[in-house]
Amino acid sequence: MSFSTTIGEHEQPHANARTAPVTTTVREATINLICGGLGTGMFSLPWTMAGASVVPGVIAIFGVIGINVFTIVVLVEAAEKHKAFDLGALLRKLPGFLGPFAQFVTNVSIWFTMILTLIGYVIAIRDAAVDLIGDDWFARERWRLAALATLVIMPLCFVDQKYLSFSSVIAVIVNINLLVVVCALLGERAGSEKKGEQLCMFGFAKGSLTMISTVTNTIIVQMCVLPMYEVLENRSPRKFLRVLLVSFGCLSLLLSIFCLVAYLAIGNDVDGNVLKSLPETTWIAVSRGGVIFVILAVYPIFLLPMVAPLRSLDLRFFLRRGALDERTALHRQAEREQLKELAAGRRRVYVNVVTLAIIVASFLGALVLTDLGPLNAVNGAMCVGIFTSLGPGLVGLFLVDRNSILWKVAMGSLLIFGAVAMGLGVAFSDKNYHEAMSKACMWHLDTASLSAPSSAMAARTNWTTQGPFVA
């Protein structure tokens, strides 16, 4: 018998005692999915809309969310059939070399996207804190605030996660408050007499690719959705589909409204982190403080999946080969228990060292990658290629009971779409291309008309006949 950290029935004090499985209700699962889409990714959506224009931008939000709902349904159907409720474990069931290959690519991608997410958290904290503290010694060099944020985050990553579970509720409140803030800002702009600028309502340019990537980064949940489905009360794919439709329907509306209102309120010069484009008021200062508070609580929760597999490593990994077996053969149970304690201590040290290394890596990344917008776009492009396309596409081809030509064409198209979208998304992620959109725009809105009567607004909204795409 090989020794591991999993306690077998023969090692349990009460072998016959059964613990009731923890389940979630439909309402709880819906709220969890909504919370999953309300992160720092949404802070970059107004920036991407400036390069995608309003109508294509809103269509991109609904379209990307629709594709992700479809791919999640494919994963859930296959997970229920094969009783594999972890994305890596499910992909491992693919035939031949595809299983290990897809599992390896997915695991590496999860680490990559998680690192970028943690870097984005440090950047968001730094950006929000700069505006809070003003012209202070910390604000003069960006590394100082990033270092301060890292020092505050570090001890939180070693706190029991149950003490941070409140963050999901606070996150919803903070994001709803931000929506109210940008609505109020738009109301102030509509009531002002300042000279307006021309915003693009409809056009096509390279910024649409950045928009698709950023939306994907905002709402991607494929890497954690199968464990959520596993614990759903009286689960079934049909029941989970209802959860998806309600949660992602709400996200579609919330993200579209936030993105549209923020873009109209701030204009083409909106920053890759919309918080940096908000004016200096007490209300907005409190809002920035709320964002910092939530990120500090959420950071350790997102770090946890990266080190969770290390916590379950076999204790033999931390001892000389055969050490435990020798003690077992010689019936030296006391020495064997001491070795197990020694190995467990070494494993804790190993996990703590890796945790610190991840935290330091996110700090160093925040020094190199200083703009939240391009960071979210790159992260989203990777998510499109791996979690929206590669994983669900291969699962749909090999692990679900659908063999029609139409289905195979759909899965093949999904794989091709993901590869193309990932390549173009990474290539065009460095900026939002709103200058190109200003040339390609076919429907302009003069923001001065926001405070004008409807007839004047119609007169100031004009169509042009520029080319449909500007490189």
Side-chain angles (χ1 to χ4, degrees):
M1 183 195 75
S2 63
F3 177 79
S4 71
T5 57
T6 302
I7 300 176
E9 286 190 359
H10 61 284
E11 296 175 293
Q12 293 182 17
H14 305 285
N16 296 324
R18 288 184 176 272
T19 303
V22 178
T23 60
T24 59
T25 64
V26 168
R27 181 178 63 84
E28 291 169 340
T30 302
I31 293 174
N32 288 338
L33 283 173
I34 292 175
C35 291
L38 298 177
T40 54
M42 67 178 287
F43 297 165
S44 299
L45 289 180
W47 173 75
T48 60
M49 180 167 277
S53 75
V54 170
V55 175
V58 172
I59 292 175
I61 292 175
F62 279 86
V64 168
I65 288 179
I67 292 174
N68 276 272
V69 169
F70 170 72
T71 59
I72 291 172
V73 170
V74 172
L75 293 176
V76 165
E77 184 177 328
E80 184 63 44
K81 175 185 175 183
H82 297 276
K83 304 304 177 186
F85 301 103
D86 172 79
L87 184 57
L90 181 62
L91 292 172
R92 190 69 177 81
K93 295 183 178 294
L94 290 169
F97 76 93
L98 284 178
F101 169 75
Q103 185 181 38
F104 173 77
V105 171
T106 300
N107 288 338
V108 171
S109 300
I110 288 175
W111 261 73
F112 181 77
T113 57
M114 286 294 187
I115 283 287
L116 289 184
T117 299
L118 297 181
I119 292 172
Y121 284 160
V122 176
I123 293 174
I125 292 175
R126 185 196 66 211
D127 289 347
V130 165
D131 295 316
L132 280 178
I133 65 178
D135 186 18
D136 190 82
W137 179 82
F138 277 110
R140 291 170 193 160
E141 297 287 344
R142 63 172 181 262
W143 70 266
R144 294 171 182 167
L145 273 178
L148 179 62
T150 303
L151 290 175
V152 175
I153 287 169
M154 196 171 292
L156 295 176
C157 293
F158 298 94
V159 172
D160 193 321
Q161 300 300 300
K162 68 181 180 181
Y163 297 114
L164 303 174
S165 60
F166 65 90
S167 60
S168 60
V169 177
I170 304 298
V172 173
I173 295 173
V174 167
N175 282 281
I176 291 176
N177 173 69
L178 287 176
L179 177 59
V180 176
V181 166
V182 294
C183 286
L185 188 61
L186 179 61
E188 291 179 7
R189 181 168 187 170
S192 69
E193 298 297 330
K194 293 181 180 179
K195 182 179 179 181
E197 62 177 320
Q198 286 195 331
L199 304 181
C200 186
M201 300 298 290
F202 185 83
F204 294 102
K206 291 186 293 188
S208 300
L209 300 171
T210 310
M211 182 88 191
I212 292 173
S213 298
T214 306
V215 175
T216 303
N217 177 64
T218 303
I219 55 90
I220 198 75
V221 293
Q222 275 81 338
M223 63 280 284
C224 58
V225 75
L226 294 184
M228 295 175 65
Y229 169 71
E230 181 184 15
V231 298
L232 180 65
E233 191 175 57
N234 300 321
R235 70 171 188 263
S236 70
R238 183 178 295 273
K239 187 174 186 179
F240 197 67
L241 175 59
R242 293 197 295 270
V243 173
L244 291 173
L245 292 177
V246 173
S247 57
F248 281 99
C250 292
L251 278 175
S252 299
L253 293 175
L254 287 172
L255 295 178
S256 297
I257 293 171
F258 176 80
C259 183
L260 172 62
V261 173
Y263 173 54
L264 293 178
I266 299 171
N268 291 318
D269 294 328
V270 60
D271 195 88
N273 180 358
V274 70
L275 295 179
K276 297 175 66 177
S277 298
L278 299 178
E280 300 298 325
T281 67
T282 302
W283 182 10
I284 292 175
V286 172
S287 301
R288 291 190 176 109
V291 169
I292 294 174
F293 181 80
V294 170
I295 293 176
L296 288 175
V298 168
Y299 185 107
I301 296 174
F302 271 75
L303 184 146
L304 184 62
M306 302 178 71
V307 298
L310 305 180
R311 298 180 189 275
S312 59
L313 283 174
D314 195 312
L315 293 182
R316 295 176 185 275
F317 180 80
F318 300 94
L319 295 172
R320 179 176 58 82
R321 179 175 297 179
L324 284 176
D325 293 332
E326 290 174 4
R327 269 62 178 184
T328 302
L330 296 173
H331 303 287
R332 297 177 180 175
Q333 188 62 28
E335 293 183 18
R336 186 175 186 272
E337 291 302 321
Q338 290 177 353
L339 282 178
K340 287 163 60 176
E341 292 179 6
L342 175 63
R346 290 176 177 175
R347 184 176 59 191
R348 282 193 296 271
V349 172
Y350 179 67
V351 171
N352 291 340
V353 169
V354 173
T355 299
L356 289 173
I358 293 172
I359 296 171
V360 171
S362 67
F363 162 69
L364 296 176
L367 300 184
V368 177
L369 306 170
T370 59
D371 195 335
L372 189 62
L375 174 68
N376 284 332
V378 170
N379 204 358
M382 295 294 297
C383 290
V384 171
I386 305 301
F387 304 118
T388 300
S389 174
L390 179 64
L394 293 176
V395 167
L397 282 174
F398 296 102
L399 299 181
V400 298
D401 294 326
R402 300 186 186 185
N403 299 312
S404 67
I405 297 298
L406 181 60
W407 177 259
K408 292 181 178 180
V409 169
M411 292 299 100
S413 300
L414 179 63
L415 291 170
I416 295 172
F417 163 77
V420 173
M422 181 173 68
L424 294 177
V426 171
F428 299 125
S429 61
D430 58 331
K431 55 184 179 179
N432 63 352
Y433 297 96
H434 79 268
E435 299 92 348
M437 179 55 70
S438 65
K439 300 176 182 178
C441 186
M442 294 180 281
W443 176 17
H444 289 284
L445 172 67
D446 190 335
T447 55
S449 63
L450 291 175
S451 58
S454 58
S455 58
M457 183 181 294
R460 296 186 184 187
T461 304
N462 52 79
W463 288 83
T464 61
T465 55
Q466 305 274 347
F469 190 91
V470 172

